Amino acid sequence: MASTIQVRVEDDLKAKSDSLFKDLGTDTTTAIRMFLTQAVAANGFPFEIKRQSAEINPYAPMTEEEMIAKLKQSREQGKYRDADDAVSDMRSKYGL
């Protein structure tokens, strides 16, 4: 038995995708079936999903040069604390 999936998309997106898939020798329905097959095989999206943002990922690793530049900038802006003071504050706050 086959199931039907209905998806609403903008007319422009449908026209562009229909044209693309036709150029690739297939149709949109087959392309969607291929996507679903690959998603099941990959046990997830069959491609990388990323959030597009102008912001830099704060969790991305930095090079040593980037770290030194950020530390220098923090010092120049007065946005830093002495490590001993920070540790002392944590010890008193958490009873360490």
Side-chain angles (χ1 to χ4, degrees), residues 63-74 76:
T63 64
E64 182 178 353
E65 293 80 18
E66 291 171 325
M67 177 66 79
I68 290 169
K70 285 192 178 283
L71 289 171
K72 181 180 178 186
Q73 181 182 20
S74 293
E76 290 170 353

Side-chain angles (χ1 to χ4, degrees), residues 26-42:
T26 190
D27 58 28
T28 301
T29 300
T30 302
I32 292 170
R33 191 177 299 114
M34 292 167 67
F35 166 79
L36 295 173
T37 301
Q38 288 300 305
V40 170

Side-chain angles (χ1 to χ4, degrees), residues 8-37:
R8 290 195 181 276
V9 296
E10 296 168 351
D11 292 338
D12 186 50
L13 176 60
K14 182 172 183 331
K16 287 178 179 177
S17 64
D18 286 344
S19 177
L20 169 67
F21 296 131
K22 183 178 179 184
D23 287 348
L24 293 172
T26 190
D27 58 28
T28 301
T29 300
T30 302
I32 292 170
R33 191 177 299 114
M34 292 167 67
F35 166 79
L36 295 173
T37 301

